[in-house]
Amino acid sequence: MEFILHLALILVFTKIAGQLALKIGQPSVLGELLAGVILGPAVLGWIQQTSFIHEFSEIGVLVLMFIAGLETDLEQLKANWKSAFTVAVLGVLFPFIGGYSLALLFDMSQGHALFMALLFCATSVSISVQALKEMNKLNSREGTTILGAAVVDDILVVVLLAVLMSVLGTGESVSLGALIGKKVLFFGVIIVACIWLIPMVMKLFARFQVSETIVSAGIILALVFSYFAEYMGVAGIIGAFAAGIAISQTKHKEVVEHKLEPIAYGVFVPVFFVSIGLNISFEGVGSQLLFIVLISIMAIVTKLFGGALGARMTGFNGRSSLAIGTGMVSRGEVALIIAGTGLSSGLLDPEYYTSIIIMVIVTTLVTPSMLKFIFSRTGDTAEQRSVS
């Protein structure tokens, strides 16, 4: 029953830390992330990363992205698809170059350097989503561009990872055509399901007389979409996000959102935030302090610059471009998964694993504060230059 005590500690610490963060003018998610660092091996050592925490956090991030989908303006997302694509491409290109160059500077082999470059490309906007939500910016032009770019970024990174593992002989031979075909098939099936299947399922469940069928239907669809996404080689959070967008187009949106949010933010989402902090440990990092500082700075600057340049090129003003670039900085759970894959396949030198994890945590911790700082200076509405 120890997990019950751990869950109680997580909920207490995240709410107190979140409140303290708000008191000093920072997003509450920053405090919740730091709560994980404090509770974990880095400071108090009261809670370790266990299968229970991991699985609970998986549900937390899926629910978080599902709610983000429910609250996303689909028309706004469609209107900004060119910006999202450009932000994603440049947000992969610049970190790849920066990560590769830095790895060579530290005398890594070509294989390890290429994998380091790929790690720099990862983006997880789950943290940005929470920060944007707190600032009522999730449906702004910047917010929808960040969400759209995250989808494209995920596809690019997954394809690059598969190709890299095949070329370096750490995995089975990969057909690039088949790999891309799976991604195209995924989005084709998702679009068809969003148009026809989801409205039908929601309508069917609405006829049931048992309690809370509409909410259950929403959760079922989010989980099924997430599983299908993972099966097709796309991050599960993309599937959950797509399910949320689809349900947002039905008359059941308000019911699902209103009844799911208390459960999500009361229990599951806090565990996800804490789980990220639990991965950090300062044991043995003294000898790699310079490496950690340099990769953290490079990871932040290259992703921010790439994303901001993409936004600027597609018509956003300077500050909105910075906000979009900042929203792409967090590496979050996506980079943690890739790092684990690299470690098991031999593409990531075990000597650098802890340092990479710290870099991931640093990028995740700084994102909410940076977003808060930039949005506090952009005003309530995003200005956008006209594009000739």
Side-chain angles (χ1 to χ4, degrees), residues 165-231:
M165 292 182 70
S166 177
V167 169
L168 296 178
T170 57
E172 297 178 2
S173 179
V174 176
S175 166
L176 187 58
L179 197 67
I180 296 175
K182 284 182 70 175
K183 308 299 178 288
V184 173
L185 177 61
F186 165 76
F187 284 103
V189 171
I190 288 296
I191 290 171
V192 171
C194 289
I195 295 173
W196 286 290
L197 179 63
I198 282 188
M200 183 177 66
V201 171
M202 298 302 290
K203 185 177 180 180
L204 175 64
F205 271 72
R207 295 175 182 172
F208 291 4
Q209 295 179 345
V210 294
S211 61
E212 306 301 348
T213 53
I214 294 299
V215 179
S216 292
I219 295 172
I220 290 167
L221 289 167
L223 296 176
V224 170
F225 272 43
S226 300
Y227 180 82
F228 180 60
E230 289 284 351
Y231 183 78

Side-chain angles (χ1 to χ4, degrees), residues 14-352:
T14 52
K15 296 309 173 185
I16 293 175
Q19 180 63 25
L20 290 174
L22 290 174
K23 287 288 187 181
I24 60 173
Q26 297 299 314
S28 66
V29 63
L30 176 62
E32 293 172 350
L33 288 167
L34 289 173
V37 178
I38 294 169
L39 286 170
V43 182
L44 296 177
W46 290 355
I47 299 177
Q48 305 294 323
Q49 187 70 272
T50 63
S51 59
F52 166 76
I53 298 291
H54 174 71
E55 289 162 8
F56 228 71
S57 67
E58 285 289 308
I59 297 173
V61 69
L62 292 179
V63 172
L64 177 63
M65 293 305 294
F66 176 58
I67 292 174
L70 284 171
E71 297 181 354
T72 297
D73 185 335
L74 184 58
E75 294 306 314
Q76 183 83 280
L77 191 61
K78 290 177 181 177
N80 289 298
W81 74 268
K82 290 182 180 178
S83 296
F85 183 83
T86 308
V87 167
V89 171
L90 294 183
V92 166
L93 179 61
F94 283 93
F96 190 92
I97 295 171
Y100 179 73
S101 302
L102 192 59
L104 292 181
L105 184 65
F106 281 86
D107 296 323
M108 292 189 189
S109 67
Q110 282 293 326
H112 288 161
L114 286 170
F115 186 79
M116 177 73 72
L118 182 63
L119 265 171
F120 272 49
C121 298
T123 285
S124 175
V125 297
S126 51
I127 302 301
S128 298
V129 161
Q130 180 61 17
L132 290 167
K133 185 176 170 64
E134 289 184 22
M135 294 181 286
N136 294 317
K137 295 290 186 179
L138 194 58
N139 269 329
S140 64
R141 286 175 179 159
E142 298 96 337
T144 51
T145 299
I146 290 168
L147 287 167
V151 175
V152 180
D153 186 288
D154 176 68
I155 296 169
L156 292 174
V157 170
V158 167
V159 171
L160 286 171
L161 176 62
V163 172
L164 185 62
M165 292 182 70
S166 177
V167 169
L168 296 178
T170 57
E172 297 178 2
S173 179
V174 176
S175 166
L176 187 58
L179 197 67
I180 296 175
K182 284 182 70 175
K183 308 299 178 288
V184 173
L185 177 61
F186 165 76
F187 284 103
V189 171
I190 288 296
I191 290 171
V192 171
C194 289
I195 295 173
W196 286 290
L197 179 63
I198 282 188
M200 183 177 66
V201 171
M202 298 302 290
K203 185 177 180 180
L204 175 64
F205 271 72
R207 295 175 182 172
F208 291 4
Q209 295 179 345
V210 294
S211 61
E212 306 301 348
T213 53
I214 294 299
V215 179
S216 292
I219 295 172
I220 290 167
L221 289 167
L223 296 176
V224 170
F225 272 43
S226 300
Y227 180 82
F228 180 60
E230 289 284 351
Y231 183 78
M232 298 298 286
V234 180
I237 57 177
I238 304 300
F241 178 64
I245 289 179
I247 293 176
S248 74
Q249 304 305 301
T250 71
K251 65 179 182 180
H252 304 292
K253 170 192 172 181
E254 300 296 334
V255 173
V256 176
E257 185 180 345
H258 177 70
K259 294 191 174 182
L260 182 59
E261 277 196 339
I263 302 171
Y265 291 104
V267 183
F268 291 101
V269 174
V271 177
F272 163 63
F273 292 143
V274 165
S275 71
I276 293 178
L278 293 180
N279 289 291
I280 194 169
S281 172
F282 299 122
E283 184 179 349
V285 301
S287 60
Q288 294 190 13
L289 193 56
L290 177 62
F291 178 70
I292 293 169
V293 171
L294 290 178
I295 63 172
S296 297
I297 292 173
M298 183 70 80
I300 293 168
V301 171
T302 53
K303 183 65 83 169
L304 192 156
F305 180 76
L309 180 61
R312 188 67 170 164
M313 288 172 60
T314 52
F316 283 91
N317 66 29
R319 288 186 176 178
S320 291
S321 297
L322 280 176
I324 291 169
T326 299
M328 301 294 290
V329 164
S330 174
R331 298 328 196 260
E333 75 285 354
V334 174
L336 293 177
I337 292 169
I338 294 176
T341 302
L343 189 66
S344 61
S345 63
L347 286 174
L348 177 61
D349 191 330
E351 176 187 357
Y352 295 110

